[in-house]
Amino acid sequence: ETGVTQTPRHLVMGMTNKKSLKCEQHLGHNAMYWYKQSAKKPLELMFVYNFKEQTENNSVPSRFSPECPNSSHLFLHLHTLQPEDSALYLCASSPPVPNEQFFGPGTRLTVL
Amino acid sequence: GESVGLHLPTLSVQEGDNSIINCAYSNSASDYFIWYKQESGKGPQFIIDIRSNMDKRQGQRVTVLLNKTVKHLSLQIAATQPGDSAVYFCAENSPYNQGGKLIFGQGTELSVKP
């Protein structure tokens, strides 16, 4: 248990649905991250937030919309996704760099 | 057994043997490196890290070696156990990366035969 939680753990959605992924950490970290992990591929960084401000958007399609209301919570809002968006979505947090990132268990997303 | 993460994504070893997982990193300016272990259905978990002012660091049954000359990182696991079966990722951090962005390797799947 790393102190980073994610809900839901599994999500199945249609292409027209709207859903949100939630990430929470109470480790006192200031940075939070969203990653996409597809089979046989390296982790793909999607978004980075430092002190609630988005500092990185790694050319992510607008159907993925992040939200960071405070330094402990991070959301990923999903809208009109495609089947190729099916993957494991991982949240991580970290103290000031350079330091390790602590990962949550991930949300396994399936888009039908 | 020995593997290079990007070219041999699967490594199979006998229980009790030592495992060596290799990683070639990309940025000569990278100053911090991490090894993560990811078991099926779980998020990556920290194993060990090393900073660029060191060339070796030891943990419990694990050792990380850093060769900056050839930009090479390795993870050695002593007396490999079935519980070590997982995918292992290396990650690098460059001081030029904004916001603590880590660059991850593809990963190597370690399979331990009993």
Side-chain angles (χ1 to χ4, degrees):
Chain A
E1 189 64 44
T2 63
V4 181
T5 59
Q6 290 186 244
T7 54
R9 294 293 309 276
H10 301 272
L11 178 62
V12 179
M13 59 186 291
M15 289 191 285
T16 58
N17 291 158
K18 288 184 182 181
K19 297 288 183 183
S20 295
L21 309 184
K22 179 181 177 182
C23 176
E24 186 171 352
Q25 60 92 7
H26 294 287
L27 300 170
H29 294 165
N30 297 316
M32 296 188 77
Y33 313 78
W34 279 117
Y35 288 89
K36 176 183 179 182
Q37 187 177 36
S38 303
K40 306 297 184 185
K41 287 187 176 180
L43 286 168
E44 299 174 49
L45 180 66
M46 300 175 72
F47 301 104
V48 181
Y49 278 81
N50 276 283
F51 294 95
K52 302 187 296 177
E53 298 297 320
Q54 188 181 125
T55 56
E56 182 96 16
N57 178 337
N58 207 22
S59 302
V60 181
S62 60
R63 57 186 184 269
F64 295 92
S65 174
E67 179 189 0
C68 189
N70 55 62
S71 58
S72 297
H73 294 86
L74 185 65
F75 295 89
L76 187 62
H77 303 299
L78 315 173
H79 178 51
T80 59
L81 295 192
Q82 305 297 313
E84 60 264 30
D85 296 322
S86 298
L88 181 68
Y89 288 84
L90 290 160
C91 173
S93 70
S94 72
V97 300
N99 261 305
E100 66 173 289
Q101 293 177 13
F102 294 76
F103 284 85
T107 295
R108 174 66 63 185
L109 174 67
T110 303
V111 181
L112 302 176
Chain B
E2 180 172 342
S3 81
V4 175
L6 290 177
H7 302 288
L8 291 173
T10 302
L11 173 65
S12 184
V13 301
Q14 202 70 36
E15 181 179 359
D17 287 352
N18 296 334
S19 302
I20 300 175
I21 301 172
N22 295 314
C23 182
Y25 63 93
S26 57
N27 191 338
S28 57
S30 291
D31 58 0
Y32 178 64
F33 305 86
I34 309 173
W35 280 101
Y36 283 94
K37 172 186 179 183
Q38 186 174 21
E39 297 175 271
S40 180
K42 297 183 178 180
Q45 291 182 296
F46 171 87
I47 303 174
I48 192 167
D49 59 2
I50 188 168
R51 299 191 188 275
S52 58
N53 60 350
M54 303 172 69
D55 53 22
K56 180 179 180 179
R57 191 162 187 225
Q58 288 184 291
Q60 187 176 14
R61 279 201 308 118
V62 295
T63 300
V64 56
L65 298 178
L66 175 62
N67 185 330
K68 296 180 287 292
T69 303
V70 295
K71 294 189 288 185
H72 185 267
L73 191 69
S74 70
L75 177 71
Q76 300 177 2
I77 304 174
T80 314
Q81 302 169 1
D84 295 326
S85 294
V87 177
Y88 290 81
F89 296 94
C90 65
E92 61 181 299
N93 178 77
S94 164
Y96 304 108
N97 288 347
Q98 292 184 347
K101 184 170 67 175
L102 292 174
I103 307 299
F104 286 86
Q106 180 183 18
T108 297
E109 184 172 9
L110 175 65
S111 176
V112 181
K113 295 177 288 187

